[in-house]
Amino acid sequence: MRVEKRNLAEFTTLGVGGPAEVWTVENEGDLAKAVSKPFRILGNGSNLLVSDEGVSERVIRLGGVFAQGDLGSVRGDPHLTPWIGAGVLLPSLVQEALNKGLSGLEPLLGIPASIGGAVRMNAGTRFGAIADVLEAVEIFHDGAFVVCAPEELSFAYRQSRLPAGAVISRVRLRLRKKSQDEIASLLARVDSARKGQPKRKSAGCAFKNPPGDSAGRLIDAAGLKGLSRGKAEISLEHANFFINRGGAKAKDFWELVTAVREQLPLELEWEIWGELS
Ligand code: FAD
Ligand code: EPU
């Protein structure tokens, strides 16, 4: 196990965030030690706005056995995967599924999450979400590893319900066999739906879509595209993406969030860590 003082900007896709004590756990024993004081779990940092002052809690990163695992060798249809460490990155699983002729992960193409973070957020696109392909989720809670059925986690749009203080430790998926051509063709459709999204540093969509509408469309219609604070900017390509043009601060992003909310009653999709206002 490594315990280091690090700037969380190093671990967030937005590239902002101040200092914290970062505990990189390698195995079950490390995890049990790490959760003995107040903590937060860091996935791939792709849905986080972290304060410039950092956070006072321990920040746990899942390394070692929790960052290992793959889709396994394909036998039946459906194919039930082995347990996959929650720290494994989703893009590598999407690629592996294509290589092995396994279908179900295509809707998640382009989401730079850890599989644990994807489950926690029920990450997805209009083509589907991670909850659709979950067989089981292992969580570490109250000192024990417990297996949950997906139904127990109340998945909804960009939402799950975990017991307070639970850590997702491993995940099993249920995938279907399909030809690589069919998988590639769905991947191409998902990729094409992402064409309007900026490639620059962001944390994906800042706000959830309200029922029946798109937050990006609403922010755009309110004339807020291109609004900037410091080096943070509401993307000209897609108004629900806020980008770091280099050297932006968390407080700059928070000012953009506040400016949008002065005009529109939108709910944040980002998770906020630490004090911002
Ligand atoms: P983090 O951002 O590190 O954490 C998010 C939350 O999950 C935090 O509360 C954290 O504590 C918790 N968490 C993480 N891991 C665990 C764990 N093992 N156990 C318990 N809690 C945990 N999202 C979509 O849904 N659809 C998209 O199309 C999409 N596109 C994106 C495109 C880009 C370019 C980017 C940067 C982001 C995009 N996102 C999208 C947002 C983001 O990728 C998702 O919300 C993702 O699920 C976050 O996963 P993460 O591992 O990065 O989690
Ligand atoms: N639109 C505008 N202006 C903009 C952006 C969008 O008018 O600046 C319009 C588009 O023209 C389109 C509509 O709004 O008519 C919807 O836009 P888009 O197809 O880009 O989808 P979205 O609703 O903005 C959602 C998810 C994305 C996901 C895409 C693809 C949310 C909040 N966003 O975006 O998820 O990648 O669909 O399926 O649910 C994320 O959650 O972080 C995320 C990126």
Side-chain angles (χ1 to χ4, degrees):
M1 173 154 64
R2 282 198 315 279
V3 179
E4 310 158 283
K5 190 86 165 201
R6 299 281 284 269
N7 273 325
L8 295 177
E10 296 175 51
F11 302 111
T12 60
T13 56
L14 209 46
V16 305
E21 199 175 87
V22 177
W23 291 53
T24 306
V25 298
E26 305 286 332
N27 54 41
E28 289 79 358
D30 287 354
L31 183 56
K33 273 188 211 135
V35 301
S36 61
K37 292 264 170 67
F39 68 91
R40 293 172 186 266
I41 295 280
L42 180 68
N44 201 35
S46 63
N47 196 45
L48 297 179
L49 177 59
V50 182
S51 160
D52 300 315
E53 275 69 56
V55 296
S56 54
E57 300 87 354
R58 292 175 175 173
V59 169
I60 300 179
R61 293 179 73 210
L62 297 175
V65 298
F66 302 114
Q68 288 163 17
D70 61 22
L71 301 177
S73 25
V74 186
R75 290 193 194 88
D77 186 20
H79 167 69
L80 305 187
T81 70
W83 286 103
I84 303 166
V88 169
L89 295 181
L90 191 53
S92 70
L93 296 174
V94 174
Q95 180 61 49
E96 188 191 346
L98 170 64
N99 297 343
K100 290 182 172 168
L102 289 170
S103 177
L105 291 176
E106 299 91 325
L108 307 172
L109 177 72
I111 303 180
S114 63
I115 186 98
V119 170
R120 163 72 176 73
M121 297 306 302
N122 192 18
T125 59
R126 77 176 75 111
F127 300 90
I130 187 93
D132 304 340
V133 291
L134 277 181
E135 170 68 12
V137 178
E138 183 197 72
I139 60 173
F140 183 64
H141 181 237
D142 272 349
F145 288 89
V146 182
V147 174
C148 303
E151 303 75 62
E152 295 174 70
L153 301 179
S154 308
F155 288 107
Y157 167 64
R158 302 288 193 274
Q159 191 183 308
S160 66
R161 280 195 218 294
L162 292 173
V167 179
I168 298 166
S169 45
R170 293 181 187 85
V171 167
R172 279 190 88 183
L173 305 176
R174 171 188 286 261
L175 302 172
R176 303 302 306 235
K177 281 192 194 173
K178 259 195 195 164
S179 74
Q180 286 190 327
D181 282 353
E182 281 176 286
I183 295 169
S185 124
L186 181 49
L187 285 173
R189 281 174 56 212
V190 178
D191 187 45
S192 140
R194 306 191 79 99
K195 281 281 180 287
Q197 300 181 358
K199 298 279 178 281
R200 304 189 63 172
K201 274 187 173 179
S202 78
C205 287
F207 297 99
K208 293 186 184 183
N209 283 343
D213 209 338
S214 158
R217 192 195 70 75
L218 291 165
I219 300 167
D220 190 357
L224 294 168
K225 256 187 177 171
L227 184 72
S228 67
R229 293 286 182 270
K231 294 287 183 189
E233 181 179 290
I234 299 186
S235 168
L236 290 163
E237 292 167 80
H238 192 299
N240 202 8
F241 279 70
F242 297 5
I243 56 173
N244 185 345
R245 291 169 54 222
K249 295 287 177 196
K251 79 166 180 33
D252 301 329
F253 284 104
W254 190 242
E255 284 178 27
L256 291 180
V257 165
T258 306
V260 168
R261 280 174 148 177
E262 273 164 14
Q263 298 200 34
L264 299 164
L266 294 171
E267 185 189 340
L268 270 181
E269 178 177 322
W270 287 350
E271 301 264 320
I272 305 297
W273 282 17
E275 285 300 314
L276 282 164
S277 34

